[in-house]
Amino acid sequence: MTTSTGSGAYASPEPDAVWPLSGATEPGPPAAVPSVVGVADLRATNAAAVLAVVRSADPHPRLSELARATSLSRPTVEAIAEELADSGLIEVAPAPSARGQRSPGRPARRFRFRPHAGFVVGVDVRPRSVTARLADLDGEPVAVERRPVRADLAGPARARAVTSAIQAALDRAGVDASQVWAATLGTPGLVDRDNTRVRQADNLRTWTEVDIVGVLHEFLGCPVAVENDANLAALGEQWRGVGGTAPDPATGEMVFVLLGERLGSGVITGGRLLRGHHGAAGEIGFIHFSGGAGPDRPGLDPLPDETIRDAAAADPDAVAAVEAYGRRLAGGLAPVLLALDPALVVLGTGLFPDPAALLAAEILRSAAQHHADDLLVDPPRWHLSALGDDAVLTGAVRFALSSVEVVLRTRPTSLNTRRATRDA
């Protein structure tokens, strides 16, 4: 169960939980010390190798193909396959249709990965809503629950809304909490580098006083991380949005600008988040934009809904206002873009929830790009988000999966061992 230190910080009972996309490195032996591989470690490594082939092979592989791909003996592969099947990670695939073919005997067994062997949870916390998504081990959505909340909701009540939304998603899918192997919560504000604490969230009352990671670990019994919403939106867009159009999707440099009640951004560099020394990289909401919120207030106030609607309907005054907003945005971002030199800038469409308003979003994007082109040495491409309102949730699922993938690549059968321990 979860514990808290005297200062309220979360103390993970699973210190080997790794969140690779946060910039953390995966554990390994010190370079100066010769590594010693025990029998259990070797078996875990072999199981991970077999599982990796099962997941990537097309069509589903036979035992002989697994042995050839892993350079392991057939008896070893057969024993590992049985262990992976017992743990629920793989299963025997249905035999392909033999209609019209003569079969001299029983066809060789083929194996396939079971994405529903476990699940991850992603949560998107906003001032006026809480949304939870349950996804399988392939990252495919299984159930989603969205709960409206009051903007002035206190931290403990907001945490209860989070657990309630997660439970509703689990109930809808018929999944027990013990089947969740990792969870990530996205939130406005500043998050510490360890992804365990929200240290500043001006627009969520008393939210920083809640040990939300501890609360969710108590509730789900699995590794839990909290991350800034714009950072997660950047990961989501890189994974399943327009980030895939970058010249090198695996390592492309990308800046995601989250447009909403407050400005934020997530920076992808080398395929990972750029977090900064204090975990505050990308906090563009603290920039003083020309013509923005005022000389004493950083950021840009969001465009009024009426202006967005009228711009989408081609009203000249509204179009001019949206274009001016785009130019101010580009002007404030120009020094950031000069320093980072991204290949791609993605504008989140949170200000344009109605599909009919996307024309206004395109007007903003076009104005921002044209102004940035005049200010930068090597201008990036600008795109609207392909994920829209789902960017944060998609990134939260991706972040949670990154922790599970570490285990699947190193000691896959330990996942069900942990679950059995929690259930006991």
Side-chain angles (χ1 to χ4, degrees):
M1 307 303 281
T2 188
T3 58
S4 296
T5 66
S7 60
Y10 169 64
S12 173
E14 300 177 87
D16 57 343
V18 177
W19 308 98
L21 297 179
S22 73
T25 56
E26 296 181 21
V33 179
S35 59
V36 177
V37 179
V39 174
D41 292 332
L42 181 60
R43 188 172 185 84
T45 300
N46 291 341
V50 171
L51 180 62
V53 176
V54 172
R55 295 187 72 180
S56 61
D58 184 20
H60 304 308
R62 299 186 292 258
L63 284 173
S64 59
E65 294 163 340
L66 289 172
R68 185 164 54 251
T70 59
S71 299
L72 297 170
S73 69
R74 184 185 173 102
T76 297
V77 169
E78 188 166 14
I80 291 173
E82 293 298 332
E83 185 178 4
L84 290 172
D86 288 344
S87 72
L89 287 168
I90 68 173
E91 65 184 357
V92 176
S97 174
R99 183 178 299 173
Q101 301 179 10
R102 295 181 61 188
S103 178
R106 182 180 178 183
R109 291 183 300 167
R110 293 181 178 271
F111 295 91
R112 66 182 180 185
F113 179 63
R114 290 188 64 248
H116 282 207
F119 301 88
V120 298
V121 166
V123 182
D124 181 4
V125 173
R126 305 183 187 183
R128 293 178 174 81
S129 67
V130 168
T131 307
R133 174 182 290 178
L134 182 72
D136 65 20
L137 298 183
D138 284 339
E140 297 302 319
V142 176
V144 178
E145 179 71 17
R146 184 179 186 276
R147 296 284 176 89
V149 297
R150 298 195 322 270
D152 64 348
L153 203 64
R158 194 175 298 273
R160 288 192 293 273
V162 169
T163 56
S164 176
I166 294 173
Q167 186 63 61
L170 293 173
D171 291 344
R172 181 172 289 120
V175 170
D176 188 80
S178 65
Q179 295 173 268
V180 177
W181 288 350
T184 297
L185 179 141
T187 176
L190 304 181
V191 175
D192 67 7
R193 283 179 55 86
D194 295 330
N195 297 107
T196 58
R197 183 173 63 90
V198 183
R199 60 189 183 90
Q200 183 176 335
D202 295 340
N203 58 339
L204 299 180
R205 186 164 70 92
T206 68
W207 186 230
T208 58
E209 299 174 17
V210 176
D211 176 17
I212 188 59
V213 169
V215 169
L216 292 187
H217 187 275
E218 179 90 22
F219 178 58
L220 295 171
C222 66
V224 178
V226 60
E227 181 55 279
N228 172 265
D229 52 3
N231 283 349
L232 292 180
L235 287 176
E237 202 69 45
Q238 178 203 36
W239 183 36
R240 292 193 167 174
V242 298
T245 66
D248 183 355
T251 59
E253 311 297 305
M254 183 181 77
V255 174
F256 184 99
V257 180
L258 187 63
L259 300 173
E261 292 187 19
R262 300 183 63 178
L263 281 177
S265 75
V267 180
I268 300 289
T269 179
R272 291 182 176 180
L273 286 173
L274 178 64
R275 306 280 317 288
H277 180 68
H278 299 99
E283 287 294 334
I284 62 172
F286 290 95
I287 293 175
H288 286 264
F289 291 82
S290 63
D296 298 324
R297 290 178 56 201
L300 279 172
D301 287 336
L303 286 163
D305 293 342
E306 183 180 0
T307 300
I308 293 173
R309 255 191 332 266
D310 291 347
D315 175 81
D317 291 339
V319 168
V322 172
E323 289 177 336
Y325 189 95
R327 289 191 295 271
R328 292 198 301 272
L329 178 66
L333 285 179
V336 176
L337 301 181
L338 281 167
L340 295 174
D341 187 29
L344 182 66
V345 175
V346 180
L347 296 182
T349 54
L351 279 178
F352 311 91
D354 184 349
L358 287 180
L359 177 59
E362 176 57 31
I363 293 170
L364 190 158
R365 184 211 62 79
S366 179
Q369 176 162 2
H370 282 106
H371 190 52
D373 288 351
D374 295 334
L375 301 174
L376 304 176
V377 177
D378 295 300
R381 293 173 294 121
W382 291 62
H383 283 278
L384 297 178
S385 168
L387 299 177
D389 211 38
D390 284 342
V392 176
L393 274 180
T394 303
V397 166
R398 179 73 183 97
F399 198 94
L401 277 176
S402 75
S403 179
V404 175
E405 289 291 342
V406 170
V407 184
L408 292 178
R409 292 197 307 267
T410 55
R411 50 194 191 285
T413 56
S414 70
L415 286 165
N416 272 26
T417 301
R418 287 186 188 183
R419 186 176 69 184
T421 301
R422 292 200 305 264
D423 291 345

